[in-house]
Amino acid sequence: MPEDPIATSKKTVPRVNLRRRVVNGAVTCAAAGSVILVLIPLVAVFGYLVYRGIGSVNWAFLTQTPKPVGEAGGGMANAIAGSAFILLIASVIGVPFGIGAGIYLAEYGRNRFGDVIRFTADVLNGVPSIVIGIVAYGIVVLAQGHFSALAGGVALSLMMIPTISRTTEEMLLLVPNSLREASYGLGISRWRTTLSITLRTATSGVITGVMLAFARVAGETAPLLFTAFGNQYWNFSMEQPTAALPLQIFTYAISPFDEWHRQAWAGALVLIVLIVVSVSAVRIAASRGMLKGAN
Amino acid sequence: MNAEPNTEIGVQVENLNAWFGKTQALQDISMNVAAKHATAIIGPSGCGKSTFVRCLNRMHETVRDARVTGRVRIGELDVYNGTPAVYVRRHVGMVFQKANPFPTMSIYDNVAAGLRLNGFSDRHKLDEIVENSLKMAVLWDEIKGDLRKKSGASLSGGQQQRLCIARALAVEPQVLLMDEPCSALDPISSGKIEDLIFQLKEHYTIVIVTHNMQQAARVAEYTGFFLLGRLIEFDKTEKIFTKPSEKRTEDYITGRFG
């Protein structure tokens, strides 16, 4: 009697399945392992920061200016406010220019000039932040004759612009061309289409890019060293040297005093928490306006 | 190759040539499209059907390196001579093959987009126009509760296409161009769009590109057959499908090629 073909094939099926299952399992494990590997440093850094810093975060730390060496207490309130102030200046300059450049690159820059800008932005992205600080020193501090919050803001905005423009470009290019055509088909002009259709459709991606750039520069120390310079007191003038959290952390961390070391840890913790909070707040606010079923 | 002498001419095309870079996509097309009737454009893929309708509202030139020569008149409007493209497009609505509602806009905003983004801001008038356009596109009853709550992209495929038709109608065009409006839809949704075309042609001149010959036969009074960038035959639909004068038309219709 000839062998039943179905029976024969049945015999081979489990073997194929086994091999497939093994490969599937291995690849899934590798992927999960990578995720854990990436998460370990993140969790370790944050955990250690909480461990060392939480003890010194208290009401005084968040509301008072630094005390002279040797006196206990005091805080980094002026540095927290100063950081917010400098980041506000940086965003006011960097976000419009970054998004504007991104729009140009995506919608109009399909030419040699656009390629030059893209290349420049990519190079600028890789320039060490201390060099950006020197540039801001040259164009703002030397021109004004003194350190200032403005100089710090300009330095940080120079770092934000290439990141924002490149991500904005990518996000706009993801918007299907059919939407632009639909808009042109209604007799809507090109600039109107770009602003009200293309940019609007890409909003959530553009916001992600902006927040990435924001989070990146919020922790920068080097560009502020000789631009914002730092300050032991409150300052809300664009024209005056201003304290910033990363600067304060840097100064305290290399000091010989234990009390300052503890405050530096607390400052680092506060900085990270503030970045996470502000990025999340913007994301939540942005998703509020979304319609049911959009995207 | 012209419409009946006693019907009004909706779109007059004279010696239209179109290129993509160095490739010529349309060669010397001349035809008179009857006003307030439906005209079907048929032909195999790549024969220039879409390019032809995209030349009628100057969408062709939005493609890089694209070029057009010849003359197109829509009523008083000389499409390629002295009229800004945005102005032409406000008078010539377009419905695309794949429904393309604006995903970040509500259903209402989608329909209102054409007017609003052109600077129209009378709220009451806008409400009225949106409602009328959606009724005309036979979508009103299905979505009137979700007008401002739901995104245009949350509708079903057939509803999205009717939304796009409503959006095109809201700017009150004279001519409606439809580039294979049913090719991505199921038969029931296609049927609804076809019924819609029947109602719309009382008010609008319709040019519809279709791959579906039964559809052309059902909805259009006139049919033009395109092949390799040329208009081979243009006549009453009935004649094209029963006794075409050109051998190539007959071959295509009977399925011998294409």
Side-chain angles (χ1 to χ4, degrees):
Chain A
M1 201 180 124
E3 250 187 280
D4 181 359
I6 293 172
T8 328
S9 72
K10 256 187 189 161
K11 235 191 278 172
T12 61
V13 164
R15 281 187 58 196
V16 173
N17 266 347
L18 182 68
R19 191 173 163 271
R20 198 181 275 178
R21 276 209 304 260
V22 167
V23 171
N24 184 37
V27 173
T28 310
C29 281
S34 310
V35 171
I36 291 166
L37 222 58
V38 169
L39 282 177
I40 285 173
L42 186 72
V43 173
V45 166
F46 193 70
Y48 195 62
L49 214 51
V50 172
Y51 166 67
R52 294 296 297 262
I54 197 81
S56 303
V57 179
N58 50 41
W59 187 242
F61 183 83
L62 296 172
T63 52
Q64 293 182 10
T65 54
K67 287 264 165 68
V69 184
E71 267 183 60
M76 290 195 179
N78 59 331
I80 295 170
S83 260
F85 185 48
I86 293 170
L87 284 168
L88 180 71
I89 298 171
S91 301
V92 165
I93 304 170
V95 173
F97 278 108
I99 293 181
I103 290 174
Y104 177 83
L105 289 178
E107 303 293 321
Y108 303 89
R110 309 274 104 200
N111 49 36
R112 183 67 65 80
F113 183 55
D115 291 339
V116 171
I117 296 178
R118 261 182 285 276
F119 181 71
T120 314
D122 289 343
V123 171
L124 202 56
N125 238 339
V127 169
S129 54
I130 187 89
V131 177
I132 302 277
I134 295 169
V135 170
Y137 178 82
I139 57 177
V140 186
V141 177
L142 284 185
Q144 286 190 312
H146 51 80
F147 299 115
S148 64
L150 180 66
V154 167
L156 295 188
S157 75
L158 287 179
M159 297 188 68
M160 290 175 85
I161 289 171
T163 319
I164 294 178
S165 61
R166 290 294 267 151
T167 45
T168 302
E169 181 195 4
E170 296 296 330
M171 292 304 137
L172 291 178
L173 289 179
L174 284 180
V175 174
N177 213 27
S178 63
L179 293 184
R180 292 185 187 86
E181 292 210 318
S183 179
Y184 295 149
L186 292 168
I188 297 168
S189 57
R190 194 169 173 189
W191 69 271
R192 253 294 186 201
T193 301
T194 302
L195 288 184
S196 302
I197 306 297
T198 322
L199 189 59
R200 191 167 157 187
T201 307
T203 305
S204 64
V206 171
I207 287 175
T208 304
V210 168
M211 292 327 290
L212 258 160
F214 178 87
R216 188 188 153 206
V217 301
E220 281 291 344
T221 317
L224 298 179
L225 282 174
F226 27 79
T227 51
F229 192 69
N231 192 332
Q232 294 298 97
Y233 306 100
W234 293 100
N235 170 50
F236 287 104
S237 164
M238 295 237 285
E239 297 297 315
Q240 294 298 317
T242 306
L245 263 179
L247 279 179
Q248 201 83 350
I249 295 164
F250 176 69
T251 315
Y252 277 27
I254 58 172
S255 77
F257 315 112
D258 279 345
E259 171 64 12
W260 279 19
H261 289 170
R262 280 194 291 277
Q263 293 224 344
W265 281 110
L269 178 62
V270 169
L271 178 63
I272 286 203
V273 169
L274 286 180
I275 291 173
V276 170
V277 166
S278 51
V279 169
S280 317
V282 170
R283 276 177 168 268
I284 290 166
S287 65
R288 273 283 164 76
M290 290 288 177
L291 284 153
K292 203 172 146 197
N295 288 334
Chain B
M1 299 215 283
N2 280 327
E4 293 273 277
N6 55 355
T7 47
E8 202 187 324
I9 294 169
V11 183
Q12 190 180 14
V13 182
E14 276 172 46
N15 308 106
L16 187 74
N17 290 279
W19 289 264
F20 289 102
K22 286 189 176 116
T23 327
Q24 187 161 10
L26 289 178
Q27 301 197 12
D28 206 31
I29 310 288
S30 294
M31 74 192 278
N32 289 334
V33 177
K36 300 192 176 172
H37 284 77
T39 300
I41 307 290
I42 60 168
S45 294
C47 69
K49 307 181 296 286
S50 290
T51 307
F52 174 71
V53 291
R54 289 169 64 91
C55 283
L56 302 185
N57 69 342
R58 295 187 56 175
M59 284 298 276
H60 180 64
E61 66 201 61
T62 64
V63 179
R64 218 179 169 182
D65 297 327
R67 204 156 59 82
V68 186
T69 65
R71 199 153 191 217
V72 177
R73 296 184 67 95
I74 292 170
E76 295 297 299
L77 214 67
D78 193 336
V79 171
Y80 283 96
N81 219 332
T83 320
V86 286
Y87 189 77
V88 170
R89 294 183 198 134
R90 275 171 221 170
H91 290 266
V92 186
M94 189 158 202
V95 177
F96 298 83
Q97 180 171 1
K98 201 169 160 284
N100 49 6
F102 303 128
T104 53
M105 293 190 189
S106 67
I107 295 168
Y108 182 98
D109 291 344
N110 259 284
V111 182
L115 289 168
R116 256 194 202 150
L117 300 182
N118 277 318
F120 188 90
S121 57
D122 182 341
R123 284 246 188 118
H124 291 288
K125 199 80 204 297
L126 209 54
D127 284 350
E128 203 177 293
I129 293 171
V130 168
E131 182 174 341
N132 284 341
S133 305
L134 284 167
K135 278 180 175 160
M136 198 117 72
V138 206
L139 188 58
W140 178 255
D141 291 328
E142 293 166 46
I143 50 85
K144 61 187 169 193
D146 303 317
L147 216 47
R148 290 169 198 273
K149 272 182 283 175
K150 275 194 182 171
S151 152
S154 67
L155 301 176
S156 76
Q159 288 175 325
Q160 284 189 22
Q161 194 59 293
R162 277 177 283 147
L163 177 62
C164 292
I165 293 174
R167 181 176 66 187
L169 297 179
V171 289
E172 293 173 355
Q174 299 165 28
V175 180
L176 193 59
L177 307 173
M178 306 178 104
D179 190 355
E180 296 183 42
C182 301
S183 63
L185 301 181
D186 67 89
I188 295 168
S189 302
S190 300
K192 284 187 183 166
I193 304 261
E194 283 179 24
D195 291 342
L196 184 55
I197 293 170
F198 266 99
Q199 293 167 31
L200 291 178
K201 66 189 178 192
E202 287 174 23
H203 307 282
Y204 304 93
T205 304
I206 293 176
V207 181
I208 175 171
V209 172
T210 177
H211 266 297
N212 181 332
M213 283 183 274
Q214 286 79 24
Q215 183 175 63
R218 279 193 299 265
V219 302
E221 284 81 16
Y222 300 93
T223 297
F225 171 60
F226 277 66
L227 187 63
L228 300 172
R230 290 174 195 279
L231 177 61
I232 304 299
E233 193 170 353
F234 177 45
D235 214 320
K236 286 197 156 178
T237 301
E238 204 184 293
K239 174 142 189 302
I240 294 275
F241 284 104
T242 50
K243 39 183 188 317
S245 22
E246 283 276 338
K247 177 79 168 60
R248 286 171 292 181
T249 314
E250 193 183 335
D251 287 349
Y252 179 70
I253 284 163
T254 52
R256 242 163 281 172
F257 74 89

